[in-house]
């Protein structure tokens, strides 16, 4: 049998921007290369189809980091308008995409909505200068012919163009600032439209590739599309001479396995979800790159053929290219990882770096599979020199990293996955985000408050019914004694997820529009501390998964002021609003070590100290 080149593998590799000829590759161009694949049914497309039919809507802005697929959304919208509810053929998708490339400057309508309104699309605001962009934004706030405009803009360019229009001394009108105000209100309250309903701004940085939905989001969908035997995509591999030594085919078989494939794909999805909850914005383009690299191991069919021709039976080179190793980008350079930032976050959550006795004790080097990470004789033989011992230790570290990663994806127990990523507080973080949470359980709240006290340098033993806020002047001092500015009862403090926070800030109780406008995943939790004065709102402190992990460890006694200075400074700033700057009492509460004392000013300006 001959050596076969699988065109499906070639299509998958087009999403990897590491080759010189792929430096300008973007998601939409790669997507158009695969005519057999239907687009992911993203909810944002459904929202757009509905939004353009609203009679009050005039301008829709799709914003967020580069790579979210803003252009692709517009192309799919045009295809929907052209074909209605019918299945959209690949040639129609190609046609509308080319039309968008040609007429995506909003110079003339590219389609009509179902209600007959002309539709203008500005494909990329970044292609215009700041002045031209500002003028175009003002123009598209009221499109000609009672039309509707869709503007694709990276957030940075959008803010610059709006600032340019806000410069009245340079001919600006000041009208475009409604776009940034709507964007800002969306971040604060989750709404995507202005009060009049004329402007809609969808912030795609809230778009998740591992959405909390029935389908599991974009990443599981891509894996199913690429690994299933649909249209006999993998049939050429069945007749390839190199199939027995090919890690690409092995990865496909592992992820498509009828018994273990679903749990492996679910573990990959949970890893991406943890990355987003840890503060990373994983764009559609980055997700495609990572999954493509994971499935192919960074190899092409030609790479596999070359190794096969050197040795038909060599099984020692495949291990780094298996999916559970390639996912963390070990073989990539630091520069390549920075080009796809998702790799950097995934490496922080690498289960191969986390030693847990209950995991390591059951790992067996003799069960690594047919592609072992090294020769067992090399790390079992007796070390005779220091250099041999160091080499042996390095090999053992690599072996156990390999085994931990493989076991992470093969394990049927999903309860300890956060702990295996090094996140002891991950389960509590997710519990807050569940609607069926137990409101009477105050464990997470108390630990959250204790961590915030530790941020200020307060370390009290036991469980306390109140929360201490230092005077801001003492936040950075870490002295033995500190002035207590306020004591807050824990009773009315609550920990909520992102959607609940938006509902409380909006004071309407309605589900925020952002929740339904994007593929949604709760990425942050908030602790809401009641207002400190009449007329003021509650003070909310936002944390992502990594910050919550730090707070939990600080609450348990970890001291790391220097290493995490930036996080401590940010959290301390959030607490400054709780400080009582108007306290005029002659009594001052001071925390000396862990002992509360009262300083009272007596006659003759004498200061008396008593235990509180």
């Amino acid at each position: 049998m001959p050596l076969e080149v699988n065109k499906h593998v070639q299509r998958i590799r087009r999403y990897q921007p590491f080759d010189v000829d792929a430096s300008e590759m973007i998601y939409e161009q790669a997507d158009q290369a695969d005519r057999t694949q239907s687009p992911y049914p993203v909810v944002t497309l459904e929202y757009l189809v509905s939004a353009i039919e609203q009679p009050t809507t005039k301008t829709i802005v799709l914003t967020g980091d580069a790579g979210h697929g803003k252009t692709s959304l517009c192309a799919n919208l045009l295809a929907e308008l052209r074909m209605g509810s019918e299945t959209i053929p690949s040639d129609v998708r190609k046609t509308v995409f080319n039309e968008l490339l040609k007429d995506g400057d909003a110079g003339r309508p590219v389609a009509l909505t179902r209600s007959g309104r002309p539709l203008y699309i500005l494909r990329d605001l970044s292609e215009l200068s700041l002045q031209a962009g500002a003028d175009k934004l003002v123009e598209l706030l009221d499109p000609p012919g009672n039309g509707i405009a869709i503007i694709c803009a990276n957030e940075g360019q959008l803010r610059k163009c709006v600032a340019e229009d806000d410069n009245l001394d340079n001919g600006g009108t000041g009208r475009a600032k409604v776009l940034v105000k709507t964007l800002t209100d969306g971040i604060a309250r989750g709404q995507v439209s202005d009060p009049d309903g004329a402007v809609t701004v969808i912030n795609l940085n809230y778009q998740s590739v591992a959405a909390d939905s029935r389908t599991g989001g974009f990443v599981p969908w891509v894996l199913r599309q690429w690994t299933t035997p649909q249209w006999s995509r993998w049939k050429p591999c069945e007749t390839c001479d190199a199939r027995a030594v090919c890690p690409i085919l092995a990865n496909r078989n592992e992820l498509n396995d009828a018994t273990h494939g679903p749990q492996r794909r679910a573990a990959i999805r949970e890893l991406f979800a943890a990355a987003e909850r840890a503060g990373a914005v994983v764009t559609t383009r980055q997700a495609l790159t990572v999954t493509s690299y994971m499935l192919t191991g960074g190899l092409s069919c030609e790479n596999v053929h070359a190794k096969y021709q050197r040795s038909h039976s060599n099984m020692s080179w495949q291990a780094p290219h298996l999916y559970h190793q390639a996912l963390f980008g070990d073989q990539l350079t630091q520069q390549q990882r920075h080009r796809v930032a998702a790799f950097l976050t995934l490496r922080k959550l690498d289960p191969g770096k986390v030693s847990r006795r209950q995991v390591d004790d059951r790992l067996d080097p003799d069960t690594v599979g047919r592609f072992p990470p090294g020769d067992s004789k090399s790390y079992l033989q007796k070390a005779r020199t220091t250099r041999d011992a160091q080499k042996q230790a390095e090999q053992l570290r690599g072996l156990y990293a390999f085994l931990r990663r493989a076991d992470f994806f093969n394990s049927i127990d999903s309860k300890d996955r956060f702990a295996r990523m090094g996140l002891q507080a991950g389960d509590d973080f997710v519990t807050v985000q569940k609607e069926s949470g137990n409101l009477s359980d105050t464990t997470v709240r108390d630990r959250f408050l204790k961590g915030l006290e530790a941020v200020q340098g307060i370390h009290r033993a036991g469980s306390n019914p109140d929360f201490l806020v230092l005077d801001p002047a003492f936040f950075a001092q870490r002295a033995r004694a500190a002035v207590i500015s306020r004591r807050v009862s824990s009773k009315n403090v609550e920990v909520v997820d992102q959607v609940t926070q938006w509902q409380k800030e909006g004071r309407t109780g309605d589900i925020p529009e952002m929740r339904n406008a994007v593929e949604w995943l709760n990425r942050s939790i908030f602790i809401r501390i009641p207002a400190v004065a009449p007329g003021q709102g509650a003070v909310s402190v936002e944390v992502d998964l990594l910050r919550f992990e730090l707070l939990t460890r600080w609450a348990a006694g970890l001291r790391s002021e220097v290493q995490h200075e930036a996080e401590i400074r940010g959290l301390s700033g959030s607490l400054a609003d709780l400080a009582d700057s108007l306290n005029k009492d002659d009594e001052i509460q001071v925390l000396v070590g862990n002992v509360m004392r009262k300083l009272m000013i007596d006659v003759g300006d004498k200061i008396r100290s008593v235990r509180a």
Side-chain angles (χ1 to χ4, degrees):
M1 290 183 288
L3 294 172
E4 300 284 353
V5 175
N6 191 334
K7 292 183 178 180
H8 181 50
V9 174
Q10 290 180 321
R11 283 192 294 268
I12 293 174
R13 277 181 49 81
R14 288 185 178 131
Y15 294 100
Q16 299 175 28
F18 306 125
D19 297 331
V20 175
D21 58 349
S23 61
E24 298 301 322
M25 180 65 70
I26 62 171
Y27 161 59
E28 292 81 7
Q29 292 172 337
D31 182 52
Q32 293 303 306
D34 189 356
R35 303 298 173 195
T36 62
Q37 181 173 306
S38 58
Y40 174 67
V42 61
V43 299
T44 308
L45 179 59
E46 299 177 17
Y47 192 88
L48 279 177
V49 171
S50 174
I52 62 175
E53 301 301 332
Q54 300 299 319
T56 58
T57 304
K58 292 185 177 181
T59 308
I60 299 174
V61 177
L62 300 176
T63 188
D65 293 352
H68 279 298
K70 297 183 283 289
T71 306
S72 180
L73 272 171
C74 292
N76 289 329
L77 175 63
L78 294 180
E80 287 272 345
L81 292 175
R82 181 162 300 186
M83 298 302 297
S85 59
E86 300 178 16
T87 302
I88 302 172
S90 59
D91 59 334
V92 173
R93 296 187 186 280
K94 180 179 179 180
T95 299
V96 297
F97 189 83
N98 291 334
E99 289 176 358
L100 187 58
L101 292 178
K102 178 182 177 183
D103 299 320
D105 60 355
R108 65 185 186 89
V110 293
L112 294 176
T113 67
R114 291 166 183 167
S115 58
R117 297 174 65 187
L119 178 65
Y120 299 82
I121 294 181
L122 181 60
R123 184 169 57 87
D124 191 354
L125 183 64
S126 299
E127 294 179 351
L128 304 177
S129 65
L130 292 183
Q131 184 60 59
D135 294 341
K136 181 61 74 172
L137 289 179
V138 173
E139 175 189 336
L140 296 180
L141 285 174
D142 191 12
N146 190 33
I148 186 169
I150 298 179
I151 303 168
C152 300
N154 293 342
E155 183 177 339
Q157 183 71 5
L158 177 66
R159 291 182 181 274
K160 289 178 182 177
C161 290
V162 169
E164 185 73 17
D165 178 65
D166 207 30
N167 186 356
L168 303 181
D169 295 334
N170 197 32
T173 66
R175 294 182 57 203
K177 62 185 177 183
V178 65
L179 301 176
V180 169
K181 186 179 186 307
T182 305
L183 172 64
T184 305
D185 289 345
I187 296 172
R189 289 186 290 276
Q191 299 302 319
V192 299
S193 301
D194 72 330
D196 298 330
V199 172
T200 295
V201 179
I202 302 176
N203 188 349
L204 293 177
N205 282 343
Y206 285 108
Q207 187 94 282
S208 171
V209 298
D212 189 10
S213 63
R214 181 178 57 84
T215 61
F218 181 70
V219 168
W221 179 85
V222 169
L223 288 174
R224 289 193 299 270
Q225 291 286 316
W226 285 353
T227 61
T228 54
Q230 192 176 13
W231 297 302
S232 302
R233 291 173 173 177
W234 293 93
K235 192 171 183 179
C237 296
E238 297 174 3
T239 58
C240 180
D241 282 350
R243 64 187 181 279
V245 299
C246 179
I248 302 175
L249 182 59
N251 288 338
R252 181 263 174 177
N253 291 338
E254 290 275 294
L255 294 172
N256 190 50
D257 180 74
T259 304
H260 302 290
Q263 74 192 36
R264 290 166 181 157
R265 296 195 298 268
I268 293 171
R269 182 257 167 196
E270 290 185 22
L271 197 60
F272 273 93
E276 292 184 322
R277 286 172 171 144
V281 176
V282 182
T283 65
T284 303
R285 188 185 305 170
Q286 290 182 18
L288 284 166
T289 297
V290 173
T291 51
S292 168
Y293 186 82
M294 175 190 68
L295 183 57
T296 65
L299 299 172
S300 65
C301 291
E302 291 82 358
N303 296 145
V304 175
H305 297 165
K307 291 181 178 292
Y308 171 76
Q309 288 171 334
R310 284 197 285 271
S311 174
H312 291 0
S313 59
N314 187 356
M315 299 292 186
S316 63
W317 59 268
Q318 294 91 343
H321 306 289
L322 298 179
Y323 78 94
H324 45 77
Q325 308 301 310
L327 179 57
F328 302 98
D330 291 343
Q331 301 296 304
L332 297 174
T333 66
Q334 190 70 7
Q335 183 180 8
Q336 288 172 325
R337 292 180 200 134
H338 277 283
R339 292 188 64 179
V340 185
F343 277 114
L344 301 177
T345 307
L346 290 172
R347 288 175 68 82
K348 293 178 183 178
L349 305 173
D350 182 3
K353 298 178 180 178
V354 180
S355 176
R356 303 187 75 227
R357 184 160 190 171
Q358 57 267 50
V359 173
D360 291 355
D361 281 352
R362 71 167 185 262
L363 299 179
D364 185 354
D366 294 330
T367 60
V368 294
R370 60 193 178 106
F371 297 139
D375 184 3
S376 60
K377 296 179 181 178
S378 63
Y379 52 77
L380 292 178
Q381 63 186 1
K382 185 177 180 181
R384 300 183 180 277
T385 65
T386 302
R387 185 174 181 180
D388 289 341
Q390 292 173 341
K391 183 179 179 180
Q392 190 177 85
E394 184 64 29
Q395 289 173 331
L396 282 171
R397 280 194 293 269
L399 171 65
Y400 270 86
F402 179 94
L403 293 172
R404 289 167 185 161
R405 289 171 175 174
D407 187 71
F408 176 83
F409 295 102
N410 288 328
S411 176
I412 60 175
D413 183 10
S414 61
K415 295 181 180 178
D416 68 339
R417 280 186 178 155
F418 279 113
R420 297 187 66 170
M421 298 179 208
L423 302 170
Q424 301 295 334
D427 290 325
D428 287 338
F429 186 90
V430 175
T431 299
V432 172
Q433 301 171 344
K434 293 181 179 178
E435 297 178 0
S436 58
N438 183 5
L439 299 179
S440 63
D441 186 358
T442 61
T443 304
V444 175
R445 182 205 66 188
D446 292 345
R447 194 184 307 137
F448 205 142
L449 290 174
K450 198 166 185 179
L452 289 177
E453 285 189 344
V455 165
Q456 304 171 81
I458 303 172
H459 298 275
R460 295 192 290 171
S463 179
N464 299 285
D466 58 357
F467 170 59
L468 301 182
V469 182
L470 292 188
D471 188 290
F474 290 84
F475 277 177
Q477 297 300 318
R478 305 292 186 272
R480 182 171 178 268
V483 174
I484 302 299
S485 175
R486 185 182 297 275
R487 300 178 72 165
V488 180
S489 172
S490 302
K491 183 177 180 180
N492 297 319
V493 176
E494 55 182 344
V495 180
V496 298
D497 65 356
Q498 177 76 77
V499 174
T500 306
Q501 167 69 10
W502 279 340
Q503 288 177 306
K504 290 182 177 292
E505 289 295 313
R507 299 177 183 176
T508 62
D510 298 333
I511 297 296
E513 293 175 294
M514 190 71 74
R515 171 65 178 81
N516 300 318
V518 297
E519 295 286 319
W520 182 255
L521 178 74
N522 270 311
R523 307 185 194 198
S524 302
I525 62 174
F526 294 75
I527 189 164
R528 292 178 57 85
I529 302 173
V532 297
Q536 293 183 356
V539 175
S540 300
V541 180
E542 177 183 6
V543 295
D544 58 23
L545 181 55
L546 287 185
R547 275 196 170 183
F548 185 67
E549 179 72 20
L550 284 175
L551 283 172
T552 300
R553 297 192 182 196
W554 288 334
L558 175 70
R559 307 285 184 98
S560 54
E561 288 87 355
V562 176
Q563 183 179 0
H564 301 291
E565 184 179 356
E567 286 80 6
I568 291 174
R569 188 164 52 246
L571 290 167
S572 299
S574 301
L575 295 174
D577 292 336
L578 286 169
D580 184 6
S581 58
L582 300 177
N583 187 2
K584 298 180 180 179
D585 295 339
D586 290 337
E587 181 181 292
I588 301 174
Q589 291 186 326
V590 179
L591 187 67
V592 182
N594 286 327
V595 179
M596 290 288 298
R597 301 193 70 85
K598 291 181 182 179
L599 300 182
M600 294 175 288
I601 301 177
D602 203 343
V603 178
D605 291 336
K606 292 182 179 180
I607 298 179
R608 301 183 182 275
S609 173
V610 297
R611 189 159 183 156

